[in-house]
Amino acid sequence: MSAELSGFKRFLHWGPITALSIIKCITLTTLYMNSMWWPPNISLGAFVNQAIFLMLSSLATFNYVMATITGPGLLPLKWQPQDPSVTDQLQYCKVCEGYKAPRSHHCRKCNRCIKKMDHHCPWINHCVGWANHAYFTYFLLFSIVGSLHGAVILSCAFYRGIHRYWYLSRGLVHLATVQFTVYSIIMCIFAMGLAIGVVIALGMLLYFQMKSILKNQTGIEMWIIEKAMYRRMHYPDLDEFVYPYDLGYKENLRQVFKNECVAKGVGVEWKVIEGCDQYTLTREQIAQKCEKRARTRTYKCIRKATGSFLPLFSQGFRVCLSPPCTDEPRLRLEPEDIIKVTRFRKHWLFGERVVDATELQKEGGEAIKKKPLRGWFPRRCAIELIQPSQPITSEEEDCNEPERSNNGKLDKSKKIANGNVSRRKATHQQNGHKKSN
């Protein structure tokens, strides 16, 4: 799904269609049942009750539409920092052919780098990030409150409706106002279930969103911090990692919630705490990726992989019954393809297919970009190479360049990653020497 879709076309997707259908189903059913249970024309309280519900429903719909149309903020293609000397502290995106600004990440669904990316939300058919974070959070809030209000109205109307004949038998005609038909009672129960489900599901999501906003962290940055703590448990000699963007809960809230809900600045530079700089987090990311590359294993495809999520006919029931619980892409492989594997499951592997110069010239760079180069594939389709036929990748070569911290000292995390890569190079040279002898 392209990140550059027009506003209307972005709603032509199962996510927005489903979300808007749920909102309107709850709203219309609640209004219909409320017109029998507590009609707005009988008293001031009834009028205020329906007005509040309509306001909550309208605000939820407005913020939903604005979160979808506004988008998270796309980093320009081929983006370069103003100071070329800091490029060694930034990650490079091969797809966008530019560097990733601090707190920016590439979304494989939108196929673009996103400013301050939190996550890709299929319900708005877009990412949640720097520009639309406030709209998305307000949408969650008003949807929860409005659905809770609707659930109360539907529950009261349902109670009145199923006791209608009891009220009539005792002369309480003024309470026997809700009259059910087969379709209306089905819609009432269905809408009540949807409203309760929305309160529970979006309530949990709002909790995690507010937790991250109060700490000025995105979902991706939480994972980076967790890995940073894990690295320092295993390597106590590493310098202490300090998250640079936690400015206190008041300032953290101001960065997301503004008076006009419009994101300030350009989404590239951020306020940091004392003792940190704009690239403190990106240096940690680079160090983590270098260690990950150092642990990479090389596999060779021996059996065609179709790229299907459930390759029943080509791989059998055992592989299909234990798929990775993720929506990450599946790789389509041909025999003799080389894959750099970084994650391992019992029946599946995750890695990046190595594109050689011959394939690049044959199909062209644009054609290669459109194919998923990273993803999951069945383990039985490949074997591990004890003596890899492919050289160390360019990313591993980049890891050999020493990264220095602000005080000019060599970063200890780089020393660890460089040592791992150097040992791999020595092993490759030794194996090649033995083979020649």
Side-chain angles (χ1 to χ4, degrees):
M1 180 63 66
S2 173
E4 299 172 346
L5 288 176
S6 64
F8 176 74
K9 290 183 179 179
R10 189 162 294 283
F11 291 95
L12 301 179
H13 179 264
W14 67 265
I17 291 174
T18 304
L20 290 173
S21 299
I22 292 174
I23 293 173
K24 295 311 160 190
C25 178
I26 296 173
T27 301
L28 296 177
T29 306
T30 302
L31 290 176
Y32 174 70
M33 301 307 299
N34 186 65
S35 66
M36 294 186 289
W37 173 63
W38 199 8
N41 59 340
I42 64 172
S43 67
L44 178 62
F47 175 80
V48 171
N49 172 62
Q50 182 159 307
I52 291 175
F53 176 76
L54 285 173
M55 181 188 67
L56 293 172
S57 178
S58 301
L59 287 172
T61 305
F62 170 77
N63 282 282
Y64 175 86
V65 172
M66 291 302 298
T68 305
I69 294 177
T70 304
L74 306 178
L75 196 67
L77 295 172
K78 300 181 180 180
W79 183 83
Q80 300 279 344
Q82 293 182 351
D83 184 4
S85 64
V86 302
T87 55
D88 61 335
Q89 302 181 65
L90 295 172
Q91 299 182 85
Y92 185 81
C93 180
K94 297 178 182 177
V95 179
C96 298
E97 297 180 343
Y99 289 93
K100 299 179 185 179
R103 310 191 79 177
S104 298
H105 303 276
H106 186 84
C107 174
R108 66 177 181 276
K109 297 288 187 181
C110 299
N111 203 32
R112 286 290 296 273
C113 285
I114 307 298
K115 298 177 182 179
K116 195 190 175 186
M117 178 179 173
D118 185 83
H119 69 284
H120 183 89
C121 179
W123 303 107
I124 66 172
N125 194 23
H126 221 326
C127 284
V128 177
W130 163 72
N132 64 350
H133 205 168
Y135 285 124
F136 182 75
T137 309
Y138 282 135
F139 158 67
L140 296 179
L141 175 63
F142 291 124
S143 295
I144 293 168
V145 179
S147 296
L148 184 60
H149 189 181
V152 172
I153 293 176
L154 290 170
S155 300
C156 294
F158 181 75
Y159 182 85
R160 286 274 186 92
I162 61 176
H163 289 86
R164 170 180 169 79
Y165 294 105
W166 187 88
Y167 293 135
L168 291 175
S169 64
R170 284 161 175 77
L172 303 174
V173 181
H174 64 286
L175 296 179
T177 55
V178 180
Q179 185 173 1
F180 280 134
T181 63
V182 175
Y183 296 107
S184 62
I185 193 172
I186 292 175
M187 284 305 300
C188 181
I189 295 173
F190 181 68
M192 191 162 37
L194 282 179
I196 295 173
V198 167
V199 171
I200 295 174
L202 296 192
M204 295 176 61
L205 183 56
L206 179 63
Y207 166 77
F208 289 115
Q209 284 294 308
M210 290 305 302
K211 182 179 178 181
S212 64
I213 290 173
L214 290 172
K215 295 182 179 181
N216 202 0
Q217 299 173 4
T218 64
I220 297 175
E221 288 168 350
M222 285 183 176
W223 176 235
I224 296 172
I225 295 170
E226 184 177 341
K227 288 191 289 185
M229 299 299 105
Y230 180 82
R231 290 178 64 235
R232 280 151 183 80
M233 287 175 57
H234 286 264
Y235 305 111
D237 293 338
L238 290 177
D239 294 333
E240 182 183 1
F241 174 73
V242 178
Y243 182 69
Y245 304 117
D246 190 358
L247 308 173
Y249 74 93
K250 290 184 179 180
E251 182 61 30
N252 295 343
L253 286 171
R254 291 192 193 101
Q255 287 198 359
V256 176
F257 301 107
K258 296 92 179 175
N259 292 335
E260 61 277 13
C261 278
V262 178
K264 298 293 183 65
V266 293
V268 173
E269 295 184 358
W270 306 91
K271 292 181 180 180
V272 296
I273 62 176
E274 186 177 354
C276 298
D277 56 45
Q278 291 290 323
Y279 311 104
T280 299
L281 187 65
T282 58
R283 285 195 296 269
E284 174 64 24
Q285 287 180 263
I286 293 173
Q288 291 178 8
K289 289 199 171 183
C290 283
E291 291 187 12
K292 178 181 177 180
R293 289 287 174 184
R295 296 191 300 267
T296 298
R297 297 181 185 178
T298 305
Y299 278 71
K300 180 179 180 181
C301 181
I302 59 173
R303 182 178 177 180
K304 183 177 179 179
T306 62
S308 173
F309 276 73
L310 293 174
L312 178 62
F313 297 105
S314 60
Q315 305 298 331
F317 282 100
R318 183 176 297 180
V319 175
C320 294
L321 291 175
S322 58
C325 296
T326 173
D327 64 344
E328 291 173 307
R330 271 45 170 179
L331 277 181
R332 179 177 296 178
L333 301 173
E334 298 290 341
E336 305 300 322
D337 282 347
I338 303 298
I339 313 100
K340 297 290 185 178
V341 176
T342 55
R343 282 186 267 169
F344 307 85
R345 299 291 185 272
K346 184 176 181 180
H347 297 291
W348 293 80
L349 300 172
F350 182 91
E352 180 176 358
R353 182 167 66 86
V354 177
V355 181
D356 55 21
T358 305
E359 183 180 2
L360 193 61
Q361 293 175 357
K362 182 179 178 181
E363 301 191 25
E366 293 299 323
I368 293 294
K369 283 182 186 179
K370 294 179 181 178
K371 296 181 178 180
L373 297 179
R374 299 175 66 230
W376 293 91
F377 62 94
R379 182 187 281 266
R380 62 171 62 181
C381 291
I383 58 173
E384 184 178 0
L385 294 179
I386 305 301
Q387 296 180 355
S389 59
Q390 294 293 325
I392 302 298
T393 64
S394 59
E395 293 188 23
E396 290 177 336
E397 293 286 357
D398 294 340
C399 293
N400 288 334
E401 298 180 5
E403 180 182 329
R404 298 185 179 277
S405 57
N406 296 333
N407 56 11
K409 296 181 180 179
L410 185 64
D411 192 349
K412 295 179 181 178
S413 61
K414 281 288 185 181
K415 292 181 180 179
I416 296 171
N418 294 345
N420 292 336
V421 176
S422 301
R423 284 194 293 273
R424 289 187 61 194
K425 281 189 170 183
T427 303
H428 295 166
Q429 294 173 357
Q430 184 179 3
N431 291 336
H433 179 69
K434 288 181 180 179
K435 187 174 181 179
S436 62
N437 291 337

